[in-house]
Amino acid sequence: MALSFTAATKLIAEREIRTYVRTKGFWISFGITIVALFALTVLPSFFSSPTKVAVVGSEAKAALSAGDFELREVADLAAAEELLRSEDVSAAVVPDPQERTPSGLRVVALENADTEVVVALAQVPPVDLIAPGEISGGQQQAVVTVFGLMFLMFGMGGMAIAQSTVSEKQTRIVEILVSTIPVRALLAGKIVGNAVLTIGQLVVLAAVAPIALKIGGQDELLGVVAPAIGWFIPFLILGFVLLAGMWAMAGALISRQEDLGSSTGSVVMLVMLPYFGVLFLFQNKLAMTIMSYVPFTAPVAMPLRVFSGEAAPWEALVSLALLAGAGVLMLLFASKVFTGSLLHTGGKLKIKQALATSKG
């Protein structure tokens, strides 16, 4: 008895998930990702240490008390210079007899003045903003990095679709599959299975991230990113669907694992494009506006613009609709290519040839 499209899709999706969770490579790569997350958030706090500064007098101590400094109180300039020569401290802050600065303090160093100490003593002028922004540049950079890396990981997760497809062709298992399961259900099952698998990984990372940030003393980063997650998730899922169709075509057009690199090169570029495009141009409003409506870059660009207050919710909905439309068209196109090339063996098949075979 032939399976329905829904039942066949579910069967293939479950098969894809089971196949990958049983492989050592999956768990090793996922483990490395979690370790890297902790390394990026925790290690800086272990390797960084406060700057050691010698201070003479209560004024010098008060001026640096708010900074991340390890203060060594000494009696006079001679004692401070002795610590500098022995390299026990990086700088010394002492009273300035000539009172050349409003604070009446000066910095003494052995060879080069410590920039952190100089900045801490600088007199910052008052700043009045006519239209103050709610999001700082540092917060924008944090969100760009987090969203870009998440989309990169999610997008590259689609590589499994191409790998499983070409593996099934090379071992001729695909001939058995298509005799009982519709080709389009096979494609749909691969996309659904890998999407669920990747979402599962991101859920685990989302649960682990607050722990890593807490240990690393970077709790505020989670608060910065959280408000933008609501917009990012639907863009992320639709972006994966768009790319998944391309990964499926890349695997179906070849018959050997050795040809996978040349076949997937263009898809890898489209996965990398949103990350590097937004990373380098997130302060360029015109570029960000354009990228927020281009399907391949919108999953990162538009949520960031909404988060920064540069795009209204209706703009995000328009961008989301364009991305959904592009995803549907890509799946329809990929379905035809997938159907026309899945049973092809031999050298790499061109898209035009696959389409002709599908029509035939």
Side-chain angles (χ1 to χ4, degrees):
M1 180 177 179
L3 292 173
S4 66
F5 180 86
T6 303
T9 298
K10 181 181 178 183
L11 180 65
I12 295 298
E14 292 175 349
R15 176 177 176 272
E16 290 286 311
I17 295 172
R18 285 197 303 268
T19 299
Y20 280 97
V21 297
R22 289 174 181 173
T23 61
K24 291 182 180 179
F26 171 79
W27 292 109
I28 290 173
S29 61
F30 188 44
I32 291 174
T33 303
I34 294 178
V35 171
L37 174 63
F38 274 89
L40 288 172
T41 55
V42 176
L43 289 182
S45 63
F46 281 103
F47 288 105
S48 62
S49 58
T51 303
K52 297 179 180 180
V53 183
V55 293
V56 178
S58 58
E59 292 83 2
K61 182 179 179 181
L64 297 177
S65 60
D68 186 20
F69 301 108
E70 182 181 328
L71 304 181
R72 297 274 302 271
E73 295 185 67
V74 294
D76 51 31
L77 176 60
E81 289 180 348
E82 184 177 345
L83 291 177
L84 285 169
R85 291 191 179 93
S86 62
E87 298 185 355
D88 289 336
V89 296
S90 300
V93 177
V94 302
D96 183 13
Q98 302 178 19
E99 296 187 355
R100 290 168 290 182
T101 61
S103 65
L105 300 172
R106 63 186 175 118
V107 177
V108 181
L110 187 62
E111 294 180 352
N112 298 297
D114 189 286
T115 305
E116 190 177 357
V117 176
V118 173
V119 170
L121 294 175
Q123 297 295 315
V124 180
V127 178
D128 295 322
L129 300 176
I130 297 176
E134 297 181 1
I135 309 301
S136 68
Q139 291 174 328
Q140 280 187 314
Q141 181 68 64
V143 174
V144 167
T145 302
V146 172
F147 283 6
L149 289 175
M150 287 178 68
F151 183 79
L152 195 62
M153 175 187 170
F154 209 59
M156 289 304 295
M159 172 68 83
I161 298 175
Q163 290 174 333
S164 67
T165 299
V166 70
S167 176
E168 290 165 357
K169 290 186 65 176
Q170 193 167 5
T171 56
R172 311 300 286 267
I173 293 177
V174 69
E175 297 176 9
I176 300 174
L177 290 173
V178 298
S179 65
T180 56
I181 293 175
V183 175
R184 287 179 172 81
L186 180 62
L187 172 61
K190 287 180 177 295
I191 293 175
V192 171
N194 283 276
V196 170
L197 196 62
T198 308
I199 289 173
Q201 294 179 71
L202 289 176
V203 169
V204 174
L205 289 175
V208 170
I211 301 173
L213 292 171
K214 181 70 175 179
I215 296 174
Q218 302 182 47
D219 310 59
E220 69 282 354
L221 182 59
L222 187 64
V224 170
V225 176
I229 293 292
W231 280 109
F232 184 57
I233 290 175
F235 275 97
L236 184 66
I237 294 173
L238 290 177
F240 177 81
V241 171
L242 177 67
L243 292 170
M246 300 191 68
W247 285 118
M249 287 191 295
L253 289 171
I254 57 176
S255 303
R256 303 184 308 162
Q257 290 283 352
E258 293 81 357
D259 298 328
L260 195 58
S262 61
S263 179
T264 58
S266 58
V267 190
V268 172
M269 290 297 295
L270 289 173
V271 174
M272 303 291 286
L273 183 63
Y275 176 65
F276 287 109
V278 177
L279 184 65
F280 293 121
L281 299 173
F282 76 96
Q283 292 181 323
N284 187 318
K285 291 186 178 181
L286 177 60
M288 287 293 291
T289 300
I290 294 172
M291 287 193 293
S292 63
Y293 291 103
V294 176
F296 293 105
T297 54
V300 181
M302 182 55 85
L304 180 63
R305 289 187 64 229
V306 174
F307 173 68
S308 304
E310 297 175 2
W314 69 264
E315 294 183 75
L317 292 175
V318 170
S319 177
L320 202 60
L322 291 173
L323 179 58
V328 171
L329 292 176
M330 178 59 71
L331 288 181
L332 292 174
F333 183 73
S335 177
K336 292 182 179 181
V337 174
F338 197 80
T339 302
S341 58
L342 194 60
L343 295 178
H344 172 79
T345 56
K348 182 179 179 181
L349 193 68
K350 294 182 179 180
I351 291 180
K352 186 177 181 180
Q353 295 173 313
L355 290 173
T357 303
S358 176
K359 291 178 182 178

